[in-house]
Amino acid sequence: MERLSGFHHVKLPVSDVRRSLEWYRRVLGLEVALEFVEDGTLMGVALRDPGHTLQLALRARPNLAQSMAGFDPIALAVPDRADLEKWRTRLDELGETHAGIVTGHVGWVLGGLCDPDGIEVRLYSLEDHG
């Protein structure tokens, strides 16, 4: 059978590329890998974390972004509960609203973190409850 080796990237619609870019930089520490400029206008960006373990693309699609408000299309992995606690502290220091850490089906989840368009980004620990 043909093989898959994971996700190349996940793409999210946004209403304002620059505003969302700054949020994902400030809150999640993502860096710009590529910019997509069309007719002199920034229409999208590809972002990655400093360790190059994930790639996230943002694309200008205001109507679609609005329709996804309140939905949680991505969950980012963190190694363990201790790292999740560090993320909670970081978000609190940044003044970012979130729902705190709860027990997930496997591991723990920090939910309720929303980007500027209201799209929820969850953080999941990879370790089991033990």
Side-chain angles (χ1 to χ4, degrees):
M1 175 171 213
E2 292 79 13
R3 299 181 335 156
L4 298 173
S5 59
F7 286 97
H8 182 271
H9 69 276
V10 172
K11 186 185 300 182
L12 295 176
V14 297
S15 59
D16 182 317
V17 174
R18 290 195 189 283
R19 179 182 68 166
S20 293
L21 164 60
E22 289 310 314
W23 187 88
Y24 281 91
R25 275 179 156 165
R26 182 178 63 82
V27 176
L28 298 179
L30 301 182
E31 305 167 341
V32 175
L34 293 168
E35 292 185 347
F36 302 96
V37 178
E38 298 170 9
D39 297 323
T41 302
L42 182 64
M43 296 300 292
V45 292
L47 305 171
R48 64 181 171 213
D49 67 311
H52 299 196
T53 61
L54 68 88
Q55 292 189 100
L56 178 67
L58 307 176
R59 178 73 177 168
R61 297 291 295 269
N63 292 340
L64 189 53
Q66 182 181 20
S67 71
M68 289 184 64
F71 188 62
D72 58 329
I74 60 172
L76 303 177
V78 299
D80 53 34
R81 171 76 187 246
D83 285 297
L84 208 52
E85 294 286 352
K86 291 175 188 173
W87 273 104
R88 177 172 56 188
T89 299
R90 174 183 171 79
L91 296 174
D92 289 344
E93 289 171 352
L94 290 172
E96 288 293 326
T97 302
H98 58 82
I101 298 172
V102 298
T103 303
H105 293 291
V106 175
W108 292 270
V109 183
L110 190 154
L113 174 65
C114 293
D115 78 359
D117 288 300
I119 297 171
E120 185 176 352
V121 176
R122 293 185 177 192
L123 302 173
Y124 270 77
S125 71
L126 291 175
E127 72 176 342
D128 199 347
H129 300 117

